[in-house]
Amino acid sequence: MVNLKGKGRYLELEKIYFDHSATTPVHPAVAEEMVNFIRRDFGNPSSVHVFGRRARKAVEEAREKVAAALGALPEEIVFTAGGTESDNLAIRGVAYALKEKGNHIITSQIEHHAVLDTCKSLEKEGFSVTYLPVDECGLVDPKSVAAAITDQTILITVMHANNEVGTVLPVEELGRIAGERGVVFHCDAVQSFGKIPVRVGELNADLLSISAHKIYGPKGTGALYLKKGTPWRPLLFGGGQEMGRRPGTENVAGIVALGLAAELAVSEMPGEAERLLGLRERLIDGVLAKVKGSRLTGHRQRRLPNHASFVFEGVEGEALVLALDAHGIAASSGSACTSGNGHASHVLLAMGLAPQEARGSLRLTLGRENTGEDVDYFLEVLPGIVEKLRNIAVRVKFEWG
Ligand code: PLP
């Protein structure tokens, strides 16, 4: 067994962390900056004295950094409390602004629950929602989007990259179709931002959601890109912060952290994406070669550079995650938000997997501190773990029927 000592530079834990799509450790430089804005520059950005002015300057500089990272204007960035809030604000804000024009929304069956459940709640309020199917790789067919648009369609919301299977969807094309038909386009880029280029102009997005904790920033901070002139209504009311679009005293430390994390992610992306891609390929090839009855989920090439996901025949994903944890490897079965509830993933079911197959899923998402040695150790222990779990499953079936 490989000596795990020294693994995880940020975590200072003797563990291998393969769950970066669930969350990432805060970058040391980002953490340091946050502490400054909690302890020293703690002012309220709305105050006119020096403490307030320093905080205001930091918030506006962070806005410029996020805007630059997305290819947007600073005034088009609204700071929020994370990806879930950004998705809610985007979808509800457009739906309420355009409800006199139409009541139809188009999305996909593999969206994160922040989008799916927002759409479901709008259905209860009289909106009608089309949940587009995906193919076996998790891709939405742009032709199906075009065909679903009616004269009632006001919004199309489709994710850039799927959190469970890593597939990168053709959102540029979807955004183009939406624009041509005069429909607002929102894109959930929570998983793609910081890993592959996300430029709002290239994606033809009118609104776009990002979250800090997926890019080595803190939890509970995110942003919504809201293109100038997009029909949209605020959902929160109060002190007028964020130009009235998301009032409430700003989370200055979180906002500063998001700005720096975004800047670092974009500047480090070219080299880091290539390094992670190499590790991902080693991981995928190794698993498929070493474990019989394993299958990659998601698209083989059109996937995030750090993302590998599989299903294993005759194995429960949850049991696999627990066994890996006991070997010092942190991974997940499906997304962090739905794992633990025992349901087969809606994403895998939409991709055509049988419920039993979908329950054997494992997601491994790599990050900054992972090395080739981590991948090799994982590949060394995985076949034995899978075999053991399969034997237990067979025994249970035999003894308990
Ligand atoms: N959208 C996607 C695709 C995600 O993967 C997540 C989180 O996993 C979210 C939205 C929610 O983001 P947050 O955790 O910042 O609320």
Side-chain angles (χ1 to χ4, degrees):
M1 186 171 137
V2 167
N3 178 12
L4 292 179
K5 212 165 168 52
K7 297 285 165 205
R9 272 187 293 131
Y10 303 125
L11 303 166
E12 290 162 17
L13 290 173
E14 292 166 16
K15 301 276 182 202
I16 292 173
Y17 187 74
F18 277 165
D19 203 11
H20 292 82
S21 284
T23 197
T24 53
V26 176
H27 191 294
V30 172
E32 207 174 301
E33 193 72 339
M34 286 184 79
V35 171
N36 284 340
F37 282 90
I38 292 167
R39 292 172 66 96
R40 197 192 59 204
D41 295 326
F42 60 85
N44 184 328
S46 299
S47 303
V48 294
H49 48 63
V50 65
F51 293 90
R53 292 199 307 273
R54 270 194 208 148
R56 167 60 54 211
K57 184 164 175 280
V59 166
E60 297 316 320
E61 280 172 4
R63 199 184 308 281
E64 279 167 24
K65 285 178 187 168
V66 173
L70 293 172
L73 298 170
E75 60 269 30
E76 293 175 320
I77 303 300
V78 181
F79 290 116
T80 68
T84 301
E85 185 183 307
S86 297
D87 286 343
N88 273 263
L89 290 184
I91 297 167
R92 285 185 175 280
V94 172
Y96 294 150
L98 291 178
K99 68 172 192 279
E100 306 304 331
K101 186 174 173 216
N103 73 340
H104 182 227
I105 297 169
I106 299 173
T107 187
S108 85
Q109 291 176 1
I110 62 163
E111 298 300 307
H112 188 273
H113 282 287
V115 168
L116 284 181
D117 292 359
T118 303
C119 288
K120 281 184 195 147
S121 77
L122 285 172
E123 281 185 283
K124 292 194 186 121
E125 296 176 34
F127 288 88
S128 116
V129 182
T130 299
Y131 299 90
L132 291 171
V134 294
D135 70 8
E136 68 284 359
C137 300
L139 291 174
V140 171
D141 181 354
K143 285 196 219 88
S144 73
V145 177
I149 298 175
T150 71
D151 59 359
Q152 285 294 305
T153 309
I154 49 171
L155 172 69
I156 297 173
T157 171
V158 176
M159 69 198 328
H160 192 191
N162 183 267
N163 44 307
E164 291 189 37
V165 296
T167 298
V168 178
L169 286 92
V171 286
E172 307 83 349
E173 180 71 356
L174 307 188
R176 190 184 59 73
I177 294 168
E180 280 172 9
R181 304 282 293 270
V183 177
V184 175
F185 181 59
H186 166 246
C187 180
D188 175 339
V190 167
Q191 288 293 343
S192 58
F193 181 60
K195 292 170 200 137
I196 56 175
V198 174
R199 309 288 293 173
V200 289
E202 284 162 26
L203 299 185
N204 299 308
D206 298 307
L207 303 101
L208 182 134
S209 307
I210 62 167
S211 176
H213 76 106
K214 311 291 186 183
I215 58 162
Y216 304 90
K219 294 159 192 64
T221 301
L224 174 66
Y225 159 73
L226 180 56
K227 188 175 164 181
K228 254 187 175 167
T230 302
W232 183 85
R233 249 181 51 182
L235 300 181
L236 300 177
F237 299 89
Q241 292 91 344
E242 297 295 286
M243 293 162 67
R245 297 169 299 185
R246 202 283 190 180
T249 302
E250 296 89 338
N251 170 8
V252 179
I255 288 171
V256 167
L258 172 59
L260 182 55
E263 188 178 56
L264 288 169
V266 171
S267 69
E268 291 176 3
M269 193 191 299
E272 185 60 2
E274 201 176 311
R275 188 186 76 84
L276 291 173
L277 192 83
L279 293 182
R280 179 196 84 184
E281 290 304 286
R282 188 157 153 185
L283 187 59
I284 292 176
D285 291 343
V287 169
L288 298 180
K290 283 179 167 229
V291 186
K292 273 201 202 110
S294 63
R295 178 144 80 89
L296 184 76
T297 55
H299 200 283
R300 184 68 181 84
Q301 288 88 28
R302 263 193 87 102
R303 64 186 304 133
L304 293 173
N306 71 324
H307 198 295
S309 53
F310 306 90
V311 284
F312 297 90
E313 224 175 270
V315 176
E316 288 286 327
E318 292 292 318
L320 192 48
V321 168
L322 288 175
L324 285 169
D325 189 38
H327 283 77
I329 298 165
S332 72
S333 172
S335 71
C337 316
T338 50
S339 62
N341 69 7
H343 296 307
S345 136
H346 68 284
V347 175
L348 297 179
L349 296 181
M351 286 164 54
L353 275 81
Q356 194 48 43
E357 255 182 316
R359 288 167 66 98
S361 69
L362 181 72
R363 178 181 74 175
L364 305 156
T365 44
L366 309 168
R368 268 199 187 112
E369 73 275 22
N370 291 136
T371 62
E373 207 192 347
D374 297 351
V375 172
D376 293 343
Y377 170 66
F378 170 78
L379 292 173
E380 197 182 302
V381 299
L382 180 73
I385 293 175
V386 171
E387 197 187 319
K388 221 178 192 167
L389 291 174
R390 281 180 179 152
N391 288 339
I392 293 171
V394 168
R395 268 211 333 265
V396 168
K397 206 168 170 200
F398 177 70
E399 286 169 17
W400 297 91

